[in-house]
């Protein structure tokens, strides 16, 4: 195939003059064809002049209607000539456009020494990375992962955890209640978005006798929203129940965890606290990972940063569990005479922030790729 010039073929240029009633239209067509530079635009021009309802056929029809009988034949033949001249002009321009495109393709130079384009791999969100790391640290010491629903009944979220109806933690202030009625066959109470992962403690103990050694990560919901609180956040719950589990086991487990997660040089400190479902209860602080206890903005000068709440499982919780097991026709298995346990709960988001120095909780949930890509 030849790379011809843009000039129309000589047959169109040198052709005999057209009948005057078509000559101007064909000249216009030629001008319009050479004005367009793309094939779709070219085809639009084609349709406008040479189509079934195009200008040339319209002119032909008008002229035939107006002409006296003997002239009709001449006018008709001249119309056909005009149409085929138009088609020739169109074909020539189409060729010229194709040739130009091919020429541009051939003229383009390719630098074969350029490196290839890398396929960009996705990555895990920081929170997923941290959750998996927490899971594997606890897996090393025998914990298995458990889970529960985010929509809970009041029984699991509060009642069985020794937070009766009038307990302040059930206040509308910090809980999302659902309007739907309780689930059929459920132990009752309204439905709530779980306010913590502790209901998984209850679900686990209803599902199996001791020994229990679980961690339960997941989303929880509370009605607050500021730079350090989001209405949705992530917790990880721990529960151990067995024969002769002591507070020393709790402390040893948490120290092991803190050193695996923050580094071997950290220490922990336990402060007495209160949770309705543990007794005794404690808040756990870790020595400040930012200032090595010299005192900084992040530990507010105290040298310690709070990381979790914990305690020995309250016997009231065991009593609720066994009562419910009995109601379901299961043998009681959590007699505090035979078993004891500990539980803890921490914020996965908080762990991620401390570990990676993220200063605004909301960054973790905003889905801004610039942020998430920092942790690949
Ligand atoms: N569920 C408690 C909270 O959300 C944390 C906790 C868990 C405390 C287990 C003690 C034992 O604040």
């Amino acid at each position: 195939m030849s790379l011809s010039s843009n000039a129309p073929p000589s047959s169109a240029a040198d052709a005999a003059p057209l009948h005057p009633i078509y000559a101007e239209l064909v000249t216009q067509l030629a001008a319009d064809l050479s004005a367009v530079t793309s094939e779709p635009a070219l085809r639009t021009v084609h349709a406008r002049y040479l189509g079934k309802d195009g200008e040339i056929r319209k002119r032909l029809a008008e002229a035939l209607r107006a002409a006296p009988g003997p002239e009709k034949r001449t006018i008709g033949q001249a119309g056909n000539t005009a149409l085929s001249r138009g088609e020739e002009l169109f074909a020539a321009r189409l060729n010229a456009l194709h040739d130009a495109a091919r020429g541009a393709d051939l003229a383009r130079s390719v630098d074969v020494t350029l490196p290839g384009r890398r396929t960009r791999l996705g990555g895990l969100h920081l929170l997923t990375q941290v959750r998996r790391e927490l899971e594997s640290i606890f897996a090393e010491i025998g914990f298995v992962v458990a889970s529960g629903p985010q929509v809970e009944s009041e029984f699991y979220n509060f009642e069985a955890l020794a937070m009766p109806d009038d307990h302040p933690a059930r206040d509308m202030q910090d809980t999302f209640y659902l309007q739907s009625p309780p689930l059929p066959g459920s132990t009752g109470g309204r439905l709530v978005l779980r306010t913590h992962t502790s209901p998984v403690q209850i679900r686990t103990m209803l599902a199996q006798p001791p020994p229990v050694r679980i961690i339960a990560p997941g989303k929880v919901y509370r009605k607050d929203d500021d730079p350090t609180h989001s209405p949705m956040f992530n917790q990880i719950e721990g529960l151990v129940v067995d024969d002769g589990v002591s507070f020393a086991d709790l402390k040893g487990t948490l120290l092991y965890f803190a050193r695996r997660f923050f580094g071997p040089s950290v220490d922990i400190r336990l402060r007495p606290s209160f949770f309705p479902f543990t007794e005794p209860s404690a808040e756990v602080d870790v020595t400040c990972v930012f200032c090595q206890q010299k005192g900084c903005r992040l530990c507010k000068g105290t040298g310690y940063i709070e990381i979790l709440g914990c305690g020995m499982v309250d016997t009231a919780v065991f009593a609720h569990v066994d009562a419910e097991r009995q109601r379901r026709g299961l043998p009681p298995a959590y007699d505090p005479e035979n078993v004891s346990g500990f539980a803890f709960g921490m914020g996965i988001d908080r762990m991620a922030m401390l570990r990676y120095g993220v200063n605004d909780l909301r960054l973790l949930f905003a889905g801004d790729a610039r942020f998430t890509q920092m942790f690949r």
Side-chain angles (χ1 to χ4, degrees), residues 161 163 195-199 201 220 222 233 235-239 274-278 281-283 308-313 342-346:
L161 289 162
M163 280 183 267
T195 59
H196 51 179
T197 43
S198 300
Q201 291 186 30
V220 302
R222 289 185 200 173
F233 59 105
Q235 283 191 334
I236 194 161
E237 189 83 8
L239 174 69
F274 174 81
F275 298 101
F277 37 92
T278 47
S281 303
E283 309 278 356
L308 58 86
C310 66
M312 301 304 291
V313 179
F342 64 76
F344 56 86
M346 68 180 119

PDB file of all heavy atoms in Angstrom, residues 161 163 195-199 201 220 222 233 235-239 274-278 281-283 308-313 342-346, ligand 1:
ATOM      1  N   LEU A 161     -23.199  -9.716  81.148  1.00  0.00           N
ATOM      2  CA  LEU A 161     -21.924  -9.162  81.603  1.00  0.00           C
ATOM      3  C   LEU A 161     -22.127  -8.346  82.883  1.00  0.00           C
ATOM      4  O   LEU A 161     -21.345  -7.446  83.202  1.00  0.00           O
ATOM      5  CB  LEU A 161     -21.302  -8.294  80.505  1.00  0.00           C
ATOM      6  CG  LEU A 161     -20.763  -9.096  79.304  1.00  0.00           C
ATOM      7  CD1 LEU A 161     -20.580  -8.204  78.086  1.00  0.00           C
ATOM      8  CD2 LEU A 161     -19.434  -9.786  79.651  1.00  0.00           C
ATOM      9  N   MET A 163     -24.335  -6.149  83.691  1.00  0.00           N
ATOM     10  CA  MET A 163     -24.775  -4.756  83.581  1.00  0.00           C
ATOM     11  C   MET A 163     -26.288  -4.756  83.465  1.00  0.00           C
ATOM     12  O   MET A 163     -26.834  -4.834  82.361  1.00  0.00           O
ATOM     13  CB  MET A 163     -24.159  -4.088  82.343  1.00  0.00           C
ATOM     14  CG  MET A 163     -22.732  -3.642  82.566  1.00  0.00           C
ATOM     15  SD  MET A 163     -22.100  -2.788  81.105  1.00  0.00           S
ATOM     16  CE  MET A 163     -21.347  -4.136  80.259  1.00  0.00           C
ATOM     17  N   THR A 195     -21.361  -2.490  72.010  1.00  0.00           N
ATOM     18  CA  THR A 195     -20.556  -1.359  72.471  1.00  0.00           C
ATOM     19  C   THR A 195     -19.137  -1.794  72.821  1.00  0.00           C
ATOM     20  O   THR A 195     -18.281  -0.969  73.108  1.00  0.00           O
ATOM     21  CB  THR A 195     -21.198  -0.708  73.703  1.00  0.00           C
ATOM     22  OG1 THR A 195     -21.307  -1.701  74.738  1.00  0.00           O
ATOM     23  CG2 THR A 195     -22.589  -0.179  73.375  1.00  0.00           C
ATOM     24  N   HIS A 196     -18.923  -3.099  72.841  1.00  0.00           N
ATOM     25  CA  HIS A 196     -17.586  -3.660  73.089  1.00  0.00           C
ATOM     26  C   HIS A 196     -17.574  -5.097  72.568  1.00  0.00           C
ATOM     27  O   HIS A 196     -18.617  -5.610  72.133  1.00  0.00           O
ATOM     28  CB  HIS A 196     -17.204  -3.597  74.576  1.00  0.00           C
ATOM     29  CG  HIS A 196     -18.236  -4.155  75.524  1.00  0.00           C
ATOM     30  ND1 HIS A 196     -18.073  -4.202  76.882  1.00  0.00           N
ATOM     31  CD2 HIS A 196     -19.452  -4.703  75.304  1.00  0.00           C
ATOM     32  CE1 HIS A 196     -19.131  -4.751  77.456  1.00  0.00           C
ATOM     33  NE2 HIS A 196     -19.990  -5.059  76.536  1.00  0.00           N
ATOM     34  N   THR A 197     -16.377  -5.727  72.584  1.00  0.00           N
ATOM     35  CA  THR A 197     -16.316  -7.115  72.109  1.00  0.00           C
ATOM     36  C   THR A 197     -16.593  -8.114  73.227  1.00  0.00           C
ATOM     37  O   THR A 197     -16.610  -9.320  72.988  1.00  0.00           O
ATOM     38  CB  THR A 197     -14.942  -7.407  71.466  1.00  0.00           C
ATOM     39  OG1 THR A 197     -13.911  -6.842  72.281  1.00  0.00           O
ATOM     40  CG2 THR A 197     -14.853  -6.821  70.063  1.00  0.00           C
ATOM     41  N   SER A 198     -16.847  -7.618  74.440  1.00  0.00           N
ATOM     42  CA  SER A 198     -17.071  -8.528  75.569  1.00  0.00           C
ATOM     43  C   SER A 198     -18.236  -9.506  75.378  1.00  0.00           C
ATOM     44  O   SER A 198     -18.181 -10.607  75.945  1.00  0.00           O
ATOM     45  CB  SER A 198     -17.237  -7.717  76.860  1.00  0.00           C
ATOM     46  OG  SER A 198     -16.066  -6.966  77.103  1.00  0.00           O
ATOM     47  N   PRO A 199     -19.298  -9.173  74.619  1.00  0.00           N
ATOM     48  CA  PRO A 199     -20.346 -10.191  74.421  1.00  0.00           C
ATOM     49  C   PRO A 199     -19.823 -11.493  73.813  1.00  0.00           C
ATOM     50  O   PRO A 199     -20.438 -12.541  74.015  1.00  0.00           O
ATOM     51  CB  PRO A 199     -21.356  -9.517  73.483  1.00  0.00           C
ATOM     52  CG  PRO A 199     -20.746  -8.242  73.035  1.00  0.00           C
ATOM     53  CD  PRO A 199     -19.737  -7.871  74.061  1.00  0.00           C
ATOM     54  N   GLN A 201     -17.324 -13.042  74.878  1.00  0.00           N
ATOM     55  CA  GLN A 201     -17.043 -13.879  76.058  1.00  0.00           C
ATOM     56  C   GLN A 201     -18.239 -14.782  76.343  1.00  0.00           C
ATOM     57  O   GLN A 201     -18.100 -15.994  76.535  1.00  0.00           O
ATOM     58  CB  GLN A 201     -16.828 -13.009  77.310  1.00  0.00           C
ATOM     59  CG  GLN A 201     -15.575 -12.162  77.333  1.00  0.00           C
ATOM     60  CD  GLN A 201     -15.423 -11.472  78.699  1.00  0.00           C
ATOM     61  OE1 GLN A 201     -15.862 -11.984  79.732  1.00  0.00           O
ATOM     62  NE2 GLN A 201     -14.803 -10.300  78.715  1.00  0.00           N
ATOM     63  N   VAL A 220     -16.823  -2.294  67.008  1.00  0.00           N
ATOM     64  CA  VAL A 220     -17.768  -1.941  68.075  1.00  0.00           C
ATOM     65  C   VAL A 220     -18.237  -0.502  67.847  1.00  0.00           C
ATOM     66  O   VAL A 220     -17.612   0.242  67.075  1.00  0.00           O
ATOM     67  CB  VAL A 220     -17.118  -2.102  69.475  1.00  0.00           C
ATOM     68  CG1 VAL A 220     -16.632  -3.521  69.687  1.00  0.00           C
ATOM     69  CG2 VAL A 220     -15.992  -1.112  69.676  1.00  0.00           C
ATOM     70  N   ARG A 222     -20.079   3.170  69.457  1.00  0.00           N
ATOM     71  CA  ARG A 222     -20.531   4.019  70.566  1.00  0.00           C
ATOM     72  C   ARG A 222     -20.904   5.385  70.038  1.00  0.00           C
ATOM     73  O   ARG A 222     -20.324   5.850  69.062  1.00  0.00           O
ATOM     74  CB  ARG A 222     -19.434   4.163  71.627  1.00  0.00           C
ATOM     75  CG  ARG A 222     -19.243   2.870  72.394  1.00  0.00           C
ATOM     76  CD  ARG A 222     -18.250   3.015  73.516  1.00  0.00           C
ATOM     77  NE  ARG A 222     -17.765   1.681  73.885  1.00  0.00           N
ATOM     78  CZ  ARG A 222     -16.790   1.448  74.743  1.00  0.00           C
ATOM     79  NH1 ARG A 222     -16.188   2.464  75.328  1.00  0.00           N
ATOM     80  NH2 ARG A 222     -16.414   0.219  75.006  1.00  0.00           N
ATOM     81  N   PHE A 233     -15.303   1.750  66.085  1.00  0.00           N
ATOM     82  CA  PHE A 233     -13.873   1.488  66.245  1.00  0.00           C
ATOM     83  C   PHE A 233     -13.663  -0.008  66.438  1.00  0.00           C
ATOM     84  O   PHE A 233     -14.617  -0.785  66.344  1.00  0.00           O
ATOM     85  CB  PHE A 233     -13.265   2.331  67.380  1.00  0.00           C
ATOM     86  CG  PHE A 233     -13.882   2.131  68.741  1.00  0.00           C
ATOM     87  CD1 PHE A 233     -13.216   1.405  69.722  1.00  0.00           C
ATOM     88  CD2 PHE A 233     -15.123   2.661  69.049  1.00  0.00           C
ATOM     89  CE1 PHE A 233     -13.769   1.230  70.994  1.00  0.00           C
ATOM     90  CE2 PHE A 233     -15.697   2.480  70.310  1.00  0.00           C
ATOM     91  CZ  PHE A 233     -15.010   1.763  71.278  1.00  0.00           C
ATOM     92  N   GLN A 235     -12.028  -3.337  68.560  1.00  0.00           N
ATOM     93  CA  GLN A 235     -11.467  -3.853  69.805  1.00  0.00           C
ATOM     94  C   GLN A 235     -10.963  -5.262  69.583  1.00  0.00           C
ATOM     95  O   GLN A 235     -11.315  -5.928  68.601  1.00  0.00           O
ATOM     96  CB  GLN A 235     -12.540  -3.897  70.895  1.00  0.00           C
ATOM     97  CG  GLN A 235     -12.854  -2.554  71.509  1.00  0.00           C
ATOM     98  CD  GLN A 235     -13.709  -2.692  72.755  1.00  0.00           C
ATOM     99  OE1 GLN A 235     -14.450  -3.659  72.920  1.00  0.00           O
ATOM    100  NE2 GLN A 235     -13.611  -1.717  73.651  1.00  0.00           N
ATOM    101  N   ILE A 236     -10.156  -5.709  70.540  1.00  0.00           N
ATOM    102  CA  ILE A 236      -9.815  -7.125  70.572  1.00  0.00           C
ATOM    103  C   ILE A 236     -10.011  -7.578  72.008  1.00  0.00           C
ATOM    104  O   ILE A 236      -9.522  -6.952  72.943  1.00  0.00           O
ATOM    105  CB  ILE A 236      -8.407  -7.394  70.008  1.00  0.00           C
ATOM    106  CG1 ILE A 236      -8.190  -8.869  69.739  1.00  0.00           C
ATOM    107  CG2 ILE A 236      -7.343  -6.863  70.912  1.00  0.00           C
ATOM    108  CD1 ILE A 236      -7.023  -9.134  68.778  1.00  0.00           C
ATOM    109  N   GLU A 237     -10.801  -8.615  72.156  1.00  0.00           N
ATOM    110  CA  GLU A 237     -11.160  -9.134  73.475  1.00  0.00           C
ATOM    111  C   GLU A 237     -10.320 -10.369  73.740  1.00  0.00           C
ATOM    112  O   GLU A 237     -10.022 -11.130  72.818  1.00  0.00           O
ATOM    113  CB  GLU A 237     -12.646  -9.542  73.432  1.00  0.00           C
ATOM    114  CG  GLU A 237     -13.254  -9.903  74.763  1.00  0.00           C
ATOM    115  CD  GLU A 237     -13.693  -8.655  75.514  1.00  0.00           C
ATOM    116  OE1 GLU A 237     -13.656  -7.541  74.922  1.00  0.00           O
ATOM    117  OE2 GLU A 237     -14.077  -8.791  76.685  1.00  0.00           O
ATOM    118  N   GLY A 238      -9.956 -10.569  74.993  1.00  0.00           N
ATOM    119  CA  GLY A 238      -9.304 -11.820  75.359  1.00  0.00           C
ATOM    120  C   GLY A 238     -10.071 -12.466  76.485  1.00  0.00           C
ATOM    121  O   GLY A 238     -10.617 -11.779  77.361  1.00  0.00           O
ATOM    122  N   LEU A 239     -10.165 -13.788  76.472  1.00  0.00           N
ATOM    123  CA  LEU A 239     -10.811 -14.503  77.584  1.00  0.00           C
ATOM    124  C   LEU A 239     -10.100 -15.833  77.801  1.00  0.00           C
ATOM    125  O   LEU A 239      -9.884 -16.590  76.849  1.00  0.00           O
ATOM    126  CB  LEU A 239     -12.300 -14.762  77.271  1.00  0.00           C
ATOM    127  CG  LEU A 239     -13.047 -15.622  78.308  1.00  0.00           C
ATOM    128  CD1 LEU A 239     -13.215 -14.878  79.641  1.00  0.00           C
ATOM    129  CD2 LEU A 239     -14.412 -16.071  77.768  1.00  0.00           C
ATOM    130  N   PHE A 274     -12.464  -0.395  87.563  1.00  0.00           N
ATOM    131  CA  PHE A 274     -13.735  -1.106  87.732  1.00  0.00           C
ATOM    132  C   PHE A 274     -14.362  -1.442  86.392  1.00  0.00           C
ATOM    133  O   PHE A 274     -14.460  -0.597  85.505  1.00  0.00           O
ATOM    134  CB  PHE A 274     -14.733  -0.263  88.536  1.00  0.00           C
ATOM    135  CG  PHE A 274     -16.089  -0.922  88.599  1.00  0.00           C
ATOM    136  CD1 PHE A 274     -16.340  -1.944  89.516  1.00  0.00           C
ATOM    137  CD2 PHE A 274     -17.094  -0.559  87.717  1.00  0.00           C
ATOM    138  CE1 PHE A 274     -17.568  -2.587  89.548  1.00  0.00           C
ATOM    139  CE2 PHE A 274     -18.329  -1.201  87.746  1.00  0.00           C
ATOM    140  CZ  PHE A 274     -18.574  -2.219  88.657  1.00  0.00           C
ATOM    141  N   PHE A 275     -14.763  -2.697  86.223  1.00  0.00           N
ATOM    142  CA  PHE A 275     -15.668  -3.099  85.156  1.00  0.00           C
ATOM    143  C   PHE A 275     -16.716  -3.994  85.791  1.00  0.00           C
ATOM    144  O   PHE A 275     -16.376  -4.775  86.698  1.00  0.00           O
ATOM    145  CB  PHE A 275     -14.923  -3.860  84.043  1.00  0.00           C
ATOM    146  CG  PHE A 275     -13.872  -3.035  83.352  1.00  0.00           C
ATOM    147  CD1 PHE A 275     -12.527  -3.189  83.675  1.00  0.00           C
ATOM    148  CD2 PHE A 275     -14.221  -2.092  82.398  1.00  0.00           C
ATOM    149  CE1 PHE A 275     -11.554  -2.420  83.068  1.00  0.00           C
ATOM    150  CE2 PHE A 275     -13.252  -1.321  81.778  1.00  0.00           C
ATOM    151  CZ  PHE A 275     -11.920  -1.479  82.111  1.00  0.00           C
ATOM    152  N   PRO A 276     -17.953  -3.891  85.362  1.00  0.00           N
ATOM    153  CA  PRO A 276     -19.010  -4.688  86.013  1.00  0.00           C
ATOM    154  C   PRO A 276     -18.777  -6.189  85.884  1.00  0.00           C
ATOM    155  O   PRO A 276     -19.261  -6.954  86.695  1.00  0.00           O
ATOM    156  CB  PRO A 276     -20.274  -4.286  85.239  1.00  0.00           C
ATOM    157  CG  PRO A 276     -19.953  -3.005  84.559  1.00  0.00           C
ATOM    158  CD  PRO A 276     -18.480  -3.032  84.296  1.00  0.00           C
ATOM    159  N   PHE A 277     -18.012  -6.607  84.861  1.00  0.00           N
ATOM    160  CA  PHE A 277     -17.887  -8.034  84.574  1.00  0.00           C
ATOM    161  C   PHE A 277     -16.537  -8.623  84.956  1.00  0.00           C
ATOM    162  O   PHE A 277     -16.240  -9.772  84.644  1.00  0.00           O
ATOM    163  CB  PHE A 277     -18.162  -8.297  83.083  1.00  0.00           C
ATOM    164  CG  PHE A 277     -17.620  -7.206  82.189  1.00  0.00           C
ATOM    165  CD1 PHE A 277     -16.345  -7.309  81.655  1.00  0.00           C
ATOM    166  CD2 PHE A 277     -18.370  -6.073  81.911  1.00  0.00           C
ATOM    167  CE1 PHE A 277     -15.838  -6.303  80.851  1.00  0.00           C
ATOM    168  CE2 PHE A 277     -17.864  -5.051  81.101  1.00  0.00           C
ATOM    169  CZ  PHE A 277     -16.596  -5.166  80.569  1.00  0.00           C
ATOM    170  N   THR A 278     -15.688  -7.821  85.630  1.00  0.00           N
ATOM    171  CA  THR A 278     -14.435  -8.370  86.159  1.00  0.00           C
ATOM    172  C   THR A 278     -14.250  -7.902  87.594  1.00  0.00           C
ATOM    173  O   THR A 278     -14.676  -6.803  87.976  1.00  0.00           O
ATOM    174  CB  THR A 278     -13.209  -7.909  85.326  1.00  0.00           C
ATOM    175  OG1 THR A 278     -13.291  -6.500  85.112  1.00  0.00           O
ATOM    176  CG2 THR A 278     -13.144  -8.619  83.986  1.00  0.00           C
ATOM    177  N   SER A 281     -10.535  -5.572  88.890  1.00  0.00           N
ATOM    178  CA  SER A 281     -10.328  -5.035  87.548  1.00  0.00           C
ATOM    179  C   SER A 281      -9.110  -4.111  87.541  1.00  0.00           C
ATOM    180  O   SER A 281      -8.739  -3.578  88.586  1.00  0.00           O
ATOM    181  CB  SER A 281     -11.540  -4.212  87.100  1.00  0.00           C
ATOM    182  OG  SER A 281     -12.724  -4.982  87.147  1.00  0.00           O
ATOM    183  N   ALA A 282      -8.537  -3.938  86.376  1.00  0.00           N
ATOM    184  CA  ALA A 282      -7.377  -3.047  86.276  1.00  0.00           C
ATOM    185  C   ALA A 282      -7.316  -2.381  84.906  1.00  0.00           C
ATOM    186  O   ALA A 282      -7.816  -2.932  83.926  1.00  0.00           O
ATOM    187  CB  ALA A 282      -6.087  -3.835  86.509  1.00  0.00           C
ATOM    188  N   GLU A 283      -6.741  -1.181  84.883  1.00  0.00           N
ATOM    189  CA  GLU A 283      -6.329  -0.577  83.613  1.00  0.00           C
ATOM    190  C   GLU A 283      -4.843  -0.891  83.479  1.00  0.00           C
ATOM    191  O   GLU A 283      -4.105  -0.827  84.456  1.00  0.00           O
ATOM    192  CB  GLU A 283      -6.423   0.947  83.607  1.00  0.00           C
ATOM    193  CG  GLU A 283      -7.699   1.582  84.032  1.00  0.00           C
ATOM    194  CD  GLU A 283      -8.776   1.651  82.979  1.00  0.00           C
ATOM    195  OE1 GLU A 283      -8.532   1.256  81.812  1.00  0.00           O
ATOM    196  OE2 GLU A 283      -9.873   2.080  83.339  1.00  0.00           O
ATOM    197  N   LEU A 308      -5.149  -0.874  77.843  1.00  0.00           N
ATOM    198  CA  LEU A 308      -6.308  -1.774  77.875  1.00  0.00           C
ATOM    199  C   LEU A 308      -6.937  -1.859  79.258  1.00  0.00           C
ATOM    200  O   LEU A 308      -6.375  -1.404  80.254  1.00  0.00           O
ATOM    201  CB  LEU A 308      -5.916  -3.175  77.384  1.00  0.00           C
ATOM    202  CG  LEU A 308      -4.803  -3.946  78.099  1.00  0.00           C
ATOM    203  CD1 LEU A 308      -5.337  -4.730  79.305  1.00  0.00           C
ATOM    204  CD2 LEU A 308      -4.161  -4.922  77.140  1.00  0.00           C
ATOM    205  N   GLY A 309      -8.122  -2.489  79.295  1.00  0.00           N
ATOM    206  CA  GLY A 309      -8.809  -2.790  80.542  1.00  0.00           C
ATOM    207  C   GLY A 309      -8.872  -4.294  80.716  1.00  0.00           C
ATOM    208  O   GLY A 309      -8.950  -5.029  79.738  1.00  0.00           O
ATOM    209  N   CYS A 310      -8.833  -4.733  81.968  1.00  0.00           N
ATOM    210  CA  CYS A 310      -8.825  -6.183  82.184  1.00  0.00           C
ATOM    211  C   CYS A 310      -9.267  -6.523  83.603  1.00  0.00           C
ATOM    212  O   CYS A 310      -9.549  -5.635  84.409  1.00  0.00           O
ATOM    213  CB  CYS A 310      -7.421  -6.741  81.957  1.00  0.00           C
ATOM    214  SG  CYS A 310      -6.227  -6.141  83.178  1.00  0.00           S
ATOM    215  N   GLY A 311      -9.309  -7.809  83.871  1.00  0.00           N
ATOM    216  CA  GLY A 311      -9.632  -8.241  85.236  1.00  0.00           C
ATOM    217  C   GLY A 311      -9.933  -9.724  85.265  1.00  0.00           C
ATOM    218  O   GLY A 311      -9.916 -10.403  84.238  1.00  0.00           O
ATOM    219  N   MET A 312     -10.207 -10.209  86.495  1.00  0.00           N
ATOM    220  CA  MET A 312     -10.612 -11.603  86.648  1.00  0.00           C
ATOM    221  C   MET A 312     -12.115 -11.687  86.399  1.00  0.00           C
ATOM    222  O   MET A 312     -12.874 -10.834  86.871  1.00  0.00           O
ATOM    223  CB  MET A 312     -10.288 -12.093  88.071  1.00  0.00           C
ATOM    224  CG  MET A 312      -8.813 -11.994  88.447  1.00  0.00           C
ATOM    225  SD  MET A 312      -7.711 -12.864  87.292  1.00  0.00           S
ATOM    226  CE  MET A 312      -8.129 -14.584  87.622  1.00  0.00           C
ATOM    227  N   VAL A 313     -12.521 -12.687  85.656  1.00  0.00           N
ATOM    228  CA  VAL A 313     -13.945 -12.806  85.310  1.00  0.00           C
ATOM    229  C   VAL A 313     -14.780 -12.832  86.595  1.00  0.00           C
ATOM    230  O   VAL A 313     -14.527 -13.635  87.502  1.00  0.00           O
ATOM    231  CB  VAL A 313     -14.205 -14.084  84.485  1.00  0.00           C
ATOM    232  CG1 VAL A 313     -15.691 -14.211  84.165  1.00  0.00           C
ATOM    233  CG2 VAL A 313     -13.377 -14.065  83.203  1.00  0.00           C
ATOM    234  N   PHE A 342      -9.639 -14.914  83.340  1.00  0.00           N
ATOM    235  CA  PHE A 342      -9.406 -13.483  83.192  1.00  0.00           C
ATOM    236  C   PHE A 342      -9.841 -13.033  81.813  1.00  0.00           C
ATOM    237  O   PHE A 342      -9.990 -13.851  80.896  1.00  0.00           O
ATOM    238  CB  PHE A 342      -7.941 -13.104  83.462  1.00  0.00           C
ATOM    239  CG  PHE A 342      -6.929 -13.662  82.506  1.00  0.00           C
ATOM    240  CD1 PHE A 342      -6.758 -13.134  81.224  1.00  0.00           C
ATOM    241  CD2 PHE A 342      -6.086 -14.711  82.905  1.00  0.00           C
ATOM    242  CE1 PHE A 342      -5.796 -13.639  80.351  1.00  0.00           C
ATOM    243  CE2 PHE A 342      -5.117 -15.222  82.027  1.00  0.00           C
ATOM    244  CZ  PHE A 342      -4.983 -14.683  80.755  1.00  0.00           C
ATOM    245  N   ALA A 343     -10.069 -11.739  81.717  1.00  0.00           N
ATOM    246  CA  ALA A 343     -10.498 -11.166  80.431  1.00  0.00           C
ATOM    247  C   ALA A 343      -9.803  -9.829  80.259  1.00  0.00           C
ATOM    248  O   ALA A 343      -9.405  -9.183  81.235  1.00  0.00           O
ATOM    249  CB  ALA A 343     -12.004 -10.983  80.395  1.00  0.00           C
ATOM    250  N   PHE A 344      -9.635  -9.447  79.015  1.00  0.00           N
ATOM    251  CA  PHE A 344      -9.093  -8.113  78.746  1.00  0.00           C
ATOM    252  C   PHE A 344      -9.673  -7.601  77.440  1.00  0.00           C
ATOM    253  O   PHE A 344     -10.164  -8.378  76.607  1.00  0.00           O
ATOM    254  CB  PHE A 344      -7.557  -8.127  78.679  1.00  0.00           C
ATOM    255  CG  PHE A 344      -6.995  -9.082  77.666  1.00  0.00           C
ATOM    256  CD1 PHE A 344      -6.826  -8.697  76.341  1.00  0.00           C
ATOM    257  CD2 PHE A 344      -6.626 -10.378  78.036  1.00  0.00           C
ATOM    258  CE1 PHE A 344      -6.310  -9.582  75.407  1.00  0.00           C
ATOM    259  CE2 PHE A 344      -6.113 -11.269  77.099  1.00  0.00           C
ATOM    260  CZ  PHE A 344      -5.952 -10.868  75.784  1.00  0.00           C
ATOM    261  N   GLY A 345      -9.644  -6.283  77.287  1.00  0.00           N
ATOM    262  CA  GLY A 345     -10.146  -5.696  76.048  1.00  0.00           C
ATOM    263  C   GLY A 345      -9.311  -4.483  75.692  1.00  0.00           C
ATOM    264  O   GLY A 345      -9.019  -3.643  76.545  1.00  0.00           O
ATOM    265  N   MET A 346      -8.890  -4.415  74.423  1.00  0.00           N
ATOM    266  CA  MET A 346      -8.102  -3.243  74.013  1.00  0.00           C
ATOM    267  C   MET A 346      -8.550  -2.748  72.640  1.00  0.00           C
ATOM    268  O   MET A 346      -9.205  -3.477  71.891  1.00  0.00           O
ATOM    269  CB  MET A 346      -6.611  -3.573  74.010  1.00  0.00           C
ATOM    270  CG  MET A 346      -6.185  -4.556  72.952  1.00  0.00           C
ATOM    271  SD  MET A 346      -4.418  -4.864  73.068  1.00  0.00           S
ATOM    272  CE  MET A 346      -4.381  -6.604  73.403  1.00  0.00           C
TER     273      MET A 346
HETATM  274  N1  LIG B   1     -15.195  -4.191  77.498  1.00  0.00           N
HETATM  275  C1  LIG B   1     -14.375  -3.218  78.203  1.00  0.00           C
HETATM  276  C2  LIG B   1     -14.485  -1.884  77.464  1.00  0.00           C
HETATM  277  O1  LIG B   1     -14.897  -1.842  76.341  1.00  0.00           O
HETATM  278  C3  LIG B   1     -12.932  -3.634  78.264  1.00  0.00           C
HETATM  279  C4  LIG B   1     -12.734  -4.871  79.096  1.00  0.00           C
HETATM  280  C5  LIG B   1     -12.756  -6.116  78.516  1.00  0.00           C
HETATM  281  C6  LIG B   1     -12.486  -4.784  80.464  1.00  0.00           C
HETATM  282  C7  LIG B   1     -12.567  -7.255  79.284  1.00  0.00           C
HETATM  283  C8  LIG B   1     -12.279  -5.885  81.239  1.00  0.00           C
HETATM  284  C9  LIG B   1     -12.323  -7.113  80.614  1.00  0.00           C
HETATM  285  O2  LIG B   1     -14.164  -0.843  78.012  1.00  0.00           O
END
